[in-house]
Amino acid sequence: MISSHKTKYSADSIETRPGHGTVFACATYQLDSSTEHREGNVSLLRHDKESCNIREETVLETGGVLDLWWQNGDVIFAAKASGTLQKMNVTEDGCLESGTEVPVSDSILLTVDGASDFIISSDTAGNIYKVSSDSLSVSETMSSVHGRGGWGSEVWGLAAHKTAPHLVYSGGDDCLLRCHDWRTCSPVFTSKHHTMGVCCISPDPYSDHLFISGSYDEKVVLWDSRTIRSPVSECRVGGGVWRVKRDHTNGHILIAGMHSGFHVLDLASFQVSKTYSEHESLAYGADWLEGGVVATCSFYDNLVTVWDSGVITCTSDVTDHVF
């Protein structure tokens, strides 16, 4: 471990600020059992390489947040337990400033992702939403895309297709992995490969067809959407897979393995090259910083750490890892 930081509430999400390889946002969520109020905040943290410390640059009290997504280096969205998406701006002096709050759902929002002109989110009732970046209002809804018998189930995983904006991937507590088309609001494909809830989905930045899913069944799975009947590769990491993050420069995946800690997986061999077990609670949030360093957070111990993945970062594109 290089450095650590304690959060006010339980930490559940980390997202590195685009264009700022030592700065990352951290979200927290904590239920106050006495009041039933879902507390939480979003902070901007900086890893100071010279002092080897994590410095809290700014913190914004938001209420409970389940997920974060940077639309660009100056705008970040939070998926909130209140059922709203909150836009936040980074000011010139590096502070977080509260922006528009978008009413989206009567249920808890679990995810947020998107592109330059839209934002997508999902909730505990099985619904997926598209929000316009211009109007910051819900423009389309796909209802009960996960769940059985008319009952919606949690959509834990959600990701926009990087080059085909009409497509969206989703993963649910019903164990299904799906791709949907916004133009028809119908599924393009459904996979039943995972045997437990699908928690996360990460499209490959170098391919229109490759993406990765993670599940409570402890598997990280590499898919080609053209041959969805069987995966390209898979690896069991244990503990349940909550988040997967591809580094754009080194051909590795960072994995938050809930009960098994954090793992670094080599895409070429699709095997774990390093496991980090210094957290004492659920491994939830993870992202790459610069130079092969990563930031991770765990839930009940309110802990953020920065550590060396052991991966050498290169500047050339890594495009041949599965071919």
Side-chain angles (χ1 to χ4, degrees), residues 41-315:
N41 58 34
V42 176
S43 57
L44 271 188
L45 304 173
R46 180 184 297 274
H47 171 231
D48 189 320
K49 292 185 289 185
E50 292 185 2
S51 65
C52 293
N53 290 324
I54 299 174
R55 187 170 70 245
E56 187 176 83
E57 301 278 270
T58 180
V59 61
L60 188 64
E61 296 298 324
T62 55
V65 173
L66 282 296
D67 196 20
L68 296 169
W69 172 69
W70 288 96
Q71 190 169 42
N72 55 55
D74 298 318
V75 176
I76 188 170
F77 283 88
K80 297 176 59 173
S82 61
T84 62
L85 280 176
Q86 183 164 351
K87 180 181 180 181
M88 291 164 284
N89 304 297
V90 182
T91 63
E92 290 185 359
D93 57 356
C95 291
L96 274 178
E97 182 180 67
S98 181
T100 304
E101 194 157 352
V102 186
V104 176
S105 172
D106 293 330
S107 302
I108 296 173
L109 290 186
L110 299 173
T111 65
V112 58
D113 195 33
S116 59
D117 57 345
F118 66 89
I119 306 102
I120 57 174
S121 187
S122 62
D123 65 15
T124 54
N127 307 312
I128 299 174
Y129 306 90
K130 179 185 277 189
V131 173
S132 166
S133 292
D134 293 331
S135 64
L136 286 181
S137 60
V138 175
S139 58
E140 297 181 69
T141 302
M142 281 191 266
S143 301
S144 300
V145 297
H146 286 275
R148 295 184 174 91
W151 294 93
S153 67
E154 292 90 341
V155 185
W156 296 114
L158 192 70
H161 194 287
K162 299 308 177 188
T163 59
H166 58 282
L167 297 179
V168 56
Y169 298 109
S170 69
D173 206 49
D174 56 3
C175 310
L176 299 181
L177 171 66
R178 295 187 135 171
C179 179
H180 314 266
D181 191 325
W182 283 109
R183 298 171 300 184
T184 60
C185 289
S186 60
V188 177
F189 65 72
T190 298
S191 170
K192 299 180 180 180
H193 179 79
H194 284 293
T195 57
M196 299 181 73
V198 179
C199 303
C200 55
I201 300 164
S202 179
D204 189 290
Y206 298 112
S207 169
D208 290 345
H209 308 290
L210 300 176
F211 65 97
I212 293 170
S213 62
S215 166
Y216 286 127
D217 65 11
E218 305 184 347
K219 293 179 181 178
V220 178
V221 181
L222 177 64
W223 298 94
D224 187 323
S225 60
R226 298 166 297 185
T227 55
I228 200 66
R229 290 186 179 181
S230 59
V232 177
S233 299
E234 62 180 74
C235 178
R236 186 182 293 275
V237 299
V241 180
W242 187 251
R243 284 290 180 268
V244 292
K245 290 290 182 69
R246 165 73 193 276
D247 184 90
H248 287 207
T249 60
N250 63 33
H252 287 73
I253 300 171
L254 179 61
I255 301 164
M258 295 182 70
H259 299 283
S260 66
F262 296 92
H263 312 277
V264 178
L265 184 144
D266 187 321
L267 272 168
S269 64
F270 220 74
Q271 296 296 316
V272 171
S273 61
K274 182 171 183 174
T275 294
Y276 182 80
S277 305
E278 295 299 315
H279 290 260
E280 298 179 355
S281 182
L282 292 172
Y284 269 173
D287 207 353
W288 296 90
L289 303 180
E290 63 184 23
V293 174
V294 298
T296 54
C297 71
S298 48
F299 198 65
Y300 293 112
D301 57 356
N302 300 23
L303 182 63
V304 176
T305 65
V306 170
W307 48 279
D308 189 346
S309 69
V311 173
I312 298 174
T313 300
C314 62
T315 57

